[in-house]
Amino acid sequence: MRFWGTRGSIPKSGVNLLRYGGSTACVEVVTNAGTLLVIDCGTGAHALGQNLLASAGRSKSGHLLVSHTHWDHIQGLPFFAPLFSPENRWDIYAPRGVRQSLQETLAGQMQSAYFPVTLEELGADIHYHELVEGTLQIGDVRVSTRYLNHPALTLGYRLQADGASLVYASDHEPHTRELATGQGHVTGEDFRHIEFLRGADLVIHDAQFTPEEYGRRVGWGHSTGEYAARVCQLAEARALALTHHDPERHDSDIDQIVQRLAVSLGAESPLRVFAAAEGQVLTLVGRSEALPAEQNASPAKAEPAALLQQSVVIGAVDPTLTALLAEAVRTDGFRVTLSQSGQQVVGLVEAERPSLVLLEHSPGVIDGMAACRAIRQLPIEDARNLPVVLLQTGRDDARDQEPCETERLEAPFSSAYLQARVRAWMLRQACRWERAELAPGEEQRLAALRRLDILDTPPDERFDRLTRLAAAVFEVPIVLVTLVDRDRQWFKSRYGLELLETHRDLSFCAHAILGDEVMVVPDTRLDDRFADNPVVTAAPHVRFYAGYPIRDAAGFCLGTLCLIDTRPRELDPAKLGLLDDFGTLVRREMGGC
């Protein structure tokens, strides 16, 4: 990996910034297999792009992971040369918004008023992926995401490949503000942040402020080196690279921060701490035993169309706080119910089953903690898991009691900060859509598919005849012969559907090829893998799916024969037998291609 930009907020130049650099956030990561990932696209991306083209010519494809779309993390995009070459394919990943798509957001800074080239004029084949928390596979890299604490929806990225693990957590603020000094009790969201860093070989962590500066910049969404070192120690990380250096910070100032941390950690500390420097190259040699168990992963998901139908209950007495909370929620179109009583909030939760509760906690005025405990005791489903966020507006002498809240925010907080926290919790609650894991031996499976020489071929009556007959026999509106390619599912034959292909992220068949038996989903709305998939919530409104996995002679599953209906249904044993017969016929025809 190599740092191409380590500065925060705004690029800087000068004789006092030569060693750590002045370009904003950009990190290059390359695996042993050659997979290229770029984390953030600040001004450092310009030099990276030039270097890539100098070493590989115009042909250089890869994956860009954007933590969030504040300017210092995307301003290099219009100057990243590989995006201008038609020979290249780039996949861009970033946090899912609520009302605006990733493509629309990135296009904003390239409008004609700001830049002479529009996003649509970039020559490369660009694919956009909108993420929430979870995991996904990019080539040979397992990528996990987690929301960070910043006044915009921001994701941290954990990359695992070649037995090593790297965590990138820029633009993150301590959830408990006293932790900015490196001291204090770790609970709640800070503890979950530590779990995200757990056992990493390298953590690249925001450290823009000193503890003295942080007191004047609470709510800006940035950390101190002391906080970064504390959470990395507790996470048993091997090394910490401090990044997002303040634009006013000279090289000598950064040296002093690192030296101060080294003294506070002590010579016996196993944690290595250094400041990320522009141009610095590192090779990670991992400890495979430190990687989290595979079964603990939850696939990354995307925001459903039903997101804006969710509701939020707000319990607050202070009129200024009430107005601030209501604005943060209503800006995104979520439904709001207001209350000035903790007891009434509990009743509203039982009656309305909201997705989020925001509760003022000001002892002597409104006891949010008591209301939270009452909510946890309600005889309703998920009462203990409902996100309850306490907004602490006064001193709380009972803070040491066992916490019942999901998160606690201490005043003051800006509208943008509140909005980001609301969005994160709403997206966490709403998104029920899993991307399929990759099949074992995925590269060999793709090679077998290529050998068939059937992708992107004209319609073939041998297959079309079978999909027509299957539609009549099973009385379904859609029947497909699907081939699952690296990033798409392509339809060799389609009855009742105009589309030629869809992205693999949307594919039911990508799940079906992982098993040996027919995969049947009687009602997609009741299945957490598919309930919020866009092909369920919007056209073609898939409610029933049955996929017969099609394998070649070597046993590689190349695709499916699948049945789709717009209403829930079941397949009795006789119909399952018929689907097996049809699938066998498709497999025979496939072998003859």
Side-chain angles (χ1 to χ4, degrees), residues 3-27 40-44 68 71-73 168 170-171 206-208 222 242-254 257 275-278:
F3 292 103
W4 291 92
T6 62
R7 193 64 55 173
S9 302
I10 188 172
K12 294 278 286 188
S13 63
V15 296
N16 295 315
L17 301 105
L18 296 179
R19 284 190 289 113
Y20 292 106
S23 298
T24 57
C26 184
V27 177
D40 273 338
C41 201
T43 56
H68 65 304
W71 272 352
D72 51 333
H73 295 259
Y168 180 86
S170 185
D171 292 61
D206 186 299
Q208 180 162 350
H222 296 288
L242 307 177
T243 194
H244 212 274
H245 308 311
D246 192 273
E248 297 302 313
R249 195 88 66 214
H250 292 171
D251 289 341
S252 58
D253 299 326
I254 297 174
I257 290 173
E278 192 171 319

Side-chain angles (χ1 to χ4, degrees), residues 31 33 35-38 62-65 91-93 129 131 135-145 157-161 435 438 443 486-487:
T31 70
T35 302
L36 168 64
L37 297 97
V38 177
H63 306 268
L64 172 59
L65 307 176
D91 290 86
I92 301 179
Y93 305 80
H129 308 267
L131 305 177
T135 64
L136 67 154
Q137 195 77 19
I138 298 178
D140 57 327
V141 185
R142 180 178 166 210
V143 181
S144 301
T145 61
Y157 292 101
R158 183 183 179 109
L159 312 183
Q160 295 170 244
R435 293 179 174 88
L438 295 181
E443 292 303 318
R486 185 183 300 276
D487 296 304

Side-chain angles (χ1 to χ4, degrees), residues 157-160 163-168 194-204 232 235-240 271 284-287 290-292:
Y157 292 101
R158 183 183 179 109
L159 312 183
Q160 295 170 244
S165 53
L166 162 69
V167 176
Y168 180 86
I194 290 169
E195 289 304 303
F196 186 63
L197 312 181
R198 177 71 61 193
D201 295 296
L202 174 64
V203 175
I204 304 170
C232 283
E236 299 180 327
R238 296 176 72 180
L240 164 64
L271 177 67
L284 297 188
V285 180
R287 307 169 296 176
L291 302 184

Side-chain angles (χ1 to χ4, degrees), residues 21 39-40 55 87 109 175 210 212 221 255 294 315 451 461 522 526 579:
I39 311 176
D40 273 338
S55 61
E87 299 94 336
Q109 70 163 347
H175 292 272
T210 65
E212 297 77 19
D255 289 338
E294 185 72 28
R451 286 194 295 269
E461 181 61 20
L526 302 180
L579 181 56

Side-chain angles (χ1 to χ4, degrees), residues 314-330 338 340 360 365 391 393 411-415 418:
I314 296 176
V317 175
D318 181 87
T320 302
L321 177 61
T322 300
L324 192 63
L325 294 172
E327 178 190 8
V329 175
R330 286 174 175 149
L338 299 175
Q340 293 185 323
E360 180 183 0
V365 179
L391 294 305
T393 57
F413 22 68
S414 66
S415 179
L418 287 173

Side-chain angles (χ1 to χ4, degrees), residues 314-590:
I314 296 176
V317 175
D318 181 87
T320 302
L321 177 61
T322 300
L324 192 63
L325 294 172
E327 178 190 8
V329 175
R330 286 174 175 149
T331 296
D332 287 323
F334 300 123
R335 292 187 292 113
V336 179
T337 303
L338 299 175
S339 171
Q340 293 185 323
S341 158
Q343 184 177 0
Q344 187 180 21
V345 166
V346 177
L348 288 171
V349 169
E350 186 171 18
E352 295 194 9
R353 310 293 177 89
S355 298
L356 176 66
V357 177
L358 303 176
L359 260 173
E360 180 183 0
H361 179 60
S362 182
V365 179
I366 180 172
D367 192 342
M369 190 181 296
C372 179
R373 291 199 177 94
I375 289 171
R376 299 303 185 209
Q377 299 301 317
L378 285 174
I380 61 174
E381 186 179 3
D382 290 333
R384 298 199 61 82
N385 298 320
L386 174 67
V388 178
V389 178
L390 293 188
L391 294 305
Q392 186 172 324
T393 57
R395 180 177 175 179
D396 181 14
D397 295 328
R399 182 66 188 270
D400 292 336
Q401 295 182 22
E402 184 68 24
C404 66
E405 70 274 12
T406 314
E407 183 176 4
R408 182 180 297 225
L409 307 180
E410 299 176 25
F413 22 68
S414 66
S415 179
Y417 180 79
L418 287 173
Q419 188 177 64
R421 300 311 300 157
V422 168
R423 286 174 173 172
W425 282 112
M426 297 299 271
L427 285 164
R428 279 170 171 153
Q429 290 298 101
C431 301
R432 294 187 298 149
W433 167 21
E434 295 182 4
R435 293 179 174 88
E437 298 289 340
L438 295 181
E442 174 68 3
E443 292 303 318
Q444 294 91 329
R445 188 192 71 82
L446 290 171
L449 179 58
R450 295 286 186 276
R451 286 194 295 269
L452 277 183
D453 198 23
I454 192 175
L455 289 170
D456 301 306
T457 55
D460 191 323
E461 181 61 20
R462 292 177 301 155
F463 296 103
D464 292 346
R465 182 184 303 115
L466 290 172
T467 53
R468 288 197 305 270
L469 286 171
V473 169
F474 294 99
E475 299 180 306
V476 292
I478 300 173
V479 180
L480 306 168
V481 174
T482 299
L483 299 174
V484 180
D485 200 0
R486 185 183 300 276
D487 296 304
R488 60 172 179 162
Q489 59 175 357
W490 180 76
F491 307 131
K492 174 56 187 171
S493 179
R494 61 195 195 283
Y495 178 89
L497 189 69
E498 292 299 319
L499 294 173
L500 289 172
E501 62 182 51
T502 72
H503 197 280
R504 186 169 176 169
D505 290 351
L506 307 179
S507 173
F508 284 61
C509 299
H511 292 264
I513 66 172
L514 300 177
D516 296 323
E517 305 297 327
V518 173
M519 186 181 89
V520 179
V521 183
D523 188 346
T524 59
R525 295 289 182 87
L526 302 180
D527 193 314
D528 281 348
R529 294 172 298 172
F530 308 112
D532 295 321
N533 188 312
V535 299
V536 174
T537 60
H541 298 287
V542 178
R543 287 295 297 276
F544 164 83
Y545 171 90
Y548 175 94
I550 300 171
R551 297 184 178 274
D552 67 4
F556 292 109
C557 195
L558 309 180
T560 72
L561 168 68
C562 66
L563 314 176
I564 293 172
D565 205 340
T566 56
R567 57 190 175 88
R569 57 182 298 173
E570 298 278 356
L571 281 187
D572 59 34
K575 288 292 178 67
L576 280 172
L578 284 172
L579 181 56
D580 186 87
D581 291 338
F582 272 95
T584 301
L585 293 173
V586 171
R587 187 175 67 245
R588 288 176 180 173
E589 294 295 345
M590 200 78 73

Side-chain angles (χ1 to χ4, degrees), residues 28 34 36 48-61 82 85 87-88 90:
E28 174 191 13
L36 168 64
L48 168 59
Q50 297 300 315
N51 185 72
L52 290 174
L53 296 193
S55 61
R58 292 177 60 83
S59 178
K60 194 61 184 179
S61 300
S85 299
E87 299 94 336
N88 296 340
W90 278 84

